[in-house]
């Protein structure tokens, strides 16, 4: 508006699109590049300690995660303090059929927390976790390309996680008896987001 008429203009409603940051009160709205938009990606996850500090090897089994990320155990990711505290990343093949993997995105704190909650819900008995591996997860978020590798940031409570094609090296046991072939459904709620996983041994 021309400066001469601004004093008589009021009552604006503004629409803004961004990423909510609940770390402040009231929460702040972080901007993102609308030309990039949302990203949907499915892949294996690794903790950053094993990837960077342990030369891409799983701490407990010494498996090369750049070649066999499907063999990363739940125990290594969420029960080893330095692993769980380092955060997580989602991997993708360097090229189709190459058999080698690189970090596609590092997960932000919200996605890290939901990932841990889902793994804990899937394998609630700690003694079973060294034998459970083979997770792929679907993530939806906003890419932050300000660093390399980029960060995948959550979009409030609408982020999506689901595991699929899970396998185990040894069938999980309960009181010494292998679990049945009937699917077992585990469900939990985190920050108003309900996570439901079907376990098929």
């Amino acid at each position: 508006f021309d400066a001469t008429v601004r004093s008589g203009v009021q009552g604006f409603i503004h629409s803004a699109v961004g990423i909510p940051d609940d770390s402040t009160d009231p929460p702040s709205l972080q901007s993102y590049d609308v030309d990039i938009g949302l990203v949907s990606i499915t892949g294996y996850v690794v903790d950053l300690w094993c990837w960077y500090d342990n030369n891409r090897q799983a701490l407990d089994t010494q498996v090369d995660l750049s070649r066999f990320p499907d063999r990363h155990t739940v125990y290594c990711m969420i029960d080893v303090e330095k692993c769980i505290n380092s955060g997580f990343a989602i991997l993708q093949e360097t090229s189709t059929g190459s058999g080698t993997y690189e970090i596609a995105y590092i997960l932000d704190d919200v996605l890290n927390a939901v990932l841990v909650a889902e793994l804990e819900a899937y394998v609630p008995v700690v003694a079973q976790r060294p034998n459970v591996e083979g997770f792929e997860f679907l993530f939806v978020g906003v890419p932050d390309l300000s660093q390399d590798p980029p960060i995948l940031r959550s979009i409030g409570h609408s982020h999506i996680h689901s595991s699929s094609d899970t396998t185990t090296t040894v069938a999980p046991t309960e009181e010494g008896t292998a679990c049945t072939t009937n699917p077992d459904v585990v469900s939990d709620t985190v920050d108003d987001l309900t996570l439901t996983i079907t376990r098929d041994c």
Side-chain angles (χ1 to χ4, degrees):
F1 291 100
D2 186 272
T4 58
V5 299
R6 288 177 187 168
S7 60
V9 179
Q10 59 186 17
F12 282 91
I13 296 177
H14 178 68
S15 177
V17 177
I19 307 168
D21 181 358
D22 296 327
S23 63
T24 61
D25 186 19
S28 59
L29 193 64
Q30 306 294 326
S31 65
Y32 76 96
D33 190 339
V34 294
D35 292 329
I36 298 175
L38 298 179
V39 166
S40 175
I41 180 172
T42 300
Y44 295 106
V45 292
V46 296
D47 64 83
L48 299 180
W49 190 91
C50 284
W51 190 263
Y52 288 121
D53 297 279
N54 206 40
N55 196 30
R56 304 186 181 187
Q57 291 185 326
L59 178 63
D60 55 347
T61 62
Q62 300 305 304
V63 167
D64 183 353
L65 298 174
S66 68
R67 295 182 60 210
F68 306 106
D70 58 318
R71 293 167 61 185
H72 202 184
T73 67
V74 173
Y75 169 81
C76 183
M77 288 190 283
I78 67 173
D79 290 308
V80 178
E81 185 175 2
K82 56 189 172 185
C83 294
I84 189 174
N85 289 342
S86 68
F88 298 90
I90 185 167
L91 305 181
Q92 278 193 323
E93 276 191 291
T94 54
S95 59
T96 302
S98 67
T100 58
Y101 293 79
E102 265 293 350
I103 289 179
Y105 295 100
I106 293 175
L107 306 184
D108 74 355
D109 290 343
V110 174
L111 295 181
N112 281 332
V114 178
L115 172 64
V116 170
E118 185 162 342
L119 290 173
E120 288 176 339
Y122 183 83
V123 194
V125 181
V126 175
Q128 297 174 358
R129 293 174 184 169
N131 298 323
V132 183
E133 61 186 26
F135 287 88
E136 284 189 298
F137 288 87
L138 166 68
F139 296 91
V140 177
V142 177
D144 179 350
L145 307 181
S146 63
Q147 72 173 48
D148 185 24
I151 299 174
L152 190 64
R153 299 197 180 279
S154 66
I155 47 174
H157 296 311
S158 59
H159 46 267
I160 300 171
H161 296 255
S162 61
S163 60
S164 61
D165 300 329
T166 57
T167 60
T168 58
T169 52
V170 178
T173 60
E174 296 179 10
E175 299 181 356
T177 304
C179 61
T180 66
T181 56
N182 295 325
D184 184 16
V185 176
V186 179
S187 183
D188 197 8
T189 300
V190 179
D191 291 337
D192 300 326
L193 176 66
T194 300
L195 310 170
T196 301
I197 309 165
T198 301
R199 175 172 55 199
D200 192 355
C201 302

